[in-house]
Amino acid sequence: MLEKWLKESSYTIVFTGAGMSTESGLPDFRSAKSGLWRTKNPQQLASTYAMQHNRDEFIAFYQYRIRTLLKCKPHVGHMILADWQKRGLIHQIITQNVDGFHQQAGSTNVIELHGTLRTVHCSRCRRTYDAKRYVDEQFTCTCGGFLRPSVVLFGESLPYDAFEQAWTAAERADLWIVLGSSLQVSPANELPVIAKRSGGKLVIVNMEPTPLDDWADLLIHGRKIGEVLQEIDELL
Ligand SMILES: [Zn+2]
């Protein structure tokens, strides 16, 4: 059914969340179950408060996350999406992920709602550097400012431009496909509703049930995203 909708739709959006990245071996740092970083609550470390008042631990946490990211790669699902984008089957990718896997797989024009872990930037002059700086223990800009990860921290709002673009895209969508998002936080749980209200179809592929399941035209639970996309790709 999804392959038919993909062919028919004139504006398809793919919206990805943490579940997309865990299939690349990247742990979901927000998940309470993962116990990723010592015994600390990641939501406290990935915050503006920690950056200002607990900087050593903030830096150590991001060094760890950047190192982990550099060991992981996009998986077959990212590759298929990049291919579909080139073939005109999907028109926009919007992601909650900060790993840059979509771009690494060849996707372009990706809207990153939560920023990126691939770069760090100066909190004073905003000059941007490769995130490898953190691995190399370099945390200061040439101007003397602190280099911070280019991700949205707890305590910060989403980048306005990215959010605005995502909103406009949602209003245009004929087909909105959620891949690996639990749809529990805003705007993840608002954008698909906008797409639906604007007349689009909603497809949700997520390991667990989500609060928006009742809105969906097609639901796929308990399956790996990479496998689902491969099956659909073979039918196209
Ligand atoms: Zn600077």
Side-chain angles (χ1 to χ4, degrees), residues 122 124-127 141-145:
C122 176
R124 194 183 291 166
C125 74
R126 302 195 64 82
R127 183 171 167 190
C141 178
T142 47
C143 83

Side-chain angles (χ1 to χ4, degrees), residues 195-208:
K196 190 72 189 162
R197 287 208 174 115
S198 308
K201 285 195 178 70
L202 175 61
V203 176
I204 299 176
V205 183
N206 193 52
M207 203 49 89
E208 310 286 337

Side-chain angles (χ1 to χ4, degrees), residues 8-227:
E8 286 170 0
S9 164
S10 60
Y11 198 76
T12 296
I13 293 170
V14 169
F15 182 83
T16 61
M20 187 79 194
S21 300
T22 49
E23 287 181 30
S24 278
L26 195 66
D28 175 9
F29 86 99
R30 284 166 201 253
S31 158
K33 283 176 255 168
S34 64
L36 235 191
W37 182 248
R38 298 173 187 166
T39 54
K40 295 280 175 167
N41 174 357
Q43 300 210 359
Q44 282 170 353
L45 289 169
S47 68
T48 50
Y49 184 88
M51 181 167 70
Q52 281 151 13
H53 303 289
N54 193 5
R55 186 159 291 175
D56 288 349
E57 220 165 15
F58 176 85
I59 286 175
F61 177 63
Y62 277 101
Q63 269 189 315
Y64 170 77
R65 288 193 57 200
I66 291 164
R67 273 204 199 98
T68 309
L69 173 61
L70 295 177
K71 283 184 219 152
C72 296
K73 288 192 306 241
H75 59 77
V76 63
H78 293 102
M79 303 298 180
I80 288 171
L81 293 180
D83 178 54
W84 289 358
Q85 195 181 18
K86 287 192 190 93
R87 291 161 64 185
L89 291 163
I90 58 179
H91 307 88
Q92 181 70 64
I93 295 175
I94 303 174
T95 188
Q96 296 173 278
N97 299 332
V98 295
D99 46 58
F101 286 151
H102 288 299
Q103 295 92 326
Q104 234 184 5
S107 285
T108 52
N109 188 31
V110 178
I111 299 176
E112 295 178 305
L113 290 174
H114 295 161
T116 177
L117 198 54
R118 295 276 169 186
T119 63
V120 296
H121 66 266
C122 176
S123 48
R124 194 183 291 166
C125 74
R126 302 195 64 82
R127 183 171 167 190
T128 298
Y129 300 83
D130 194 292
K132 285 196 189 91
R133 288 231 150 195
Y134 258 52
V135 179
D136 299 337
E137 308 274 336
Q138 293 173 351
F139 311 112
T140 313
C141 178
T142 47
C143 83
F146 173 61
L147 296 180
R148 54 156 293 171
S150 304
V151 297
V152 178
L153 300 172
F154 290 102
E156 290 178 322
S157 48
L158 299 186
Y160 181 79
D161 288 354
F163 182 69
E164 186 75 11
Q165 279 178 48
W167 194 278
T168 307
E171 288 175 335
R172 274 185 75 180
D174 277 341
L175 178 60
W176 181 286
I177 304 171
V178 175
L179 300 177
S181 172
S182 54
L183 301 175
Q184 278 168 2
V185 292
S186 174
N189 55 13
E190 293 172 37
L191 293 168
V193 173
I194 294 165
K196 190 72 189 162
R197 287 208 174 115
S198 308
K201 285 195 178 70
L202 175 61
V203 176
I204 299 176
V205 183
N206 193 52
M207 203 49 89
E208 310 286 337
T210 83
L212 295 192
D213 285 0
D214 286 347
W215 290 80
D217 298 278
L218 175 65
L219 273 178
I220 301 175
H221 290 314
R223 304 254 348 252
K224 284 198 160 184
I225 296 163
E227 288 172 12

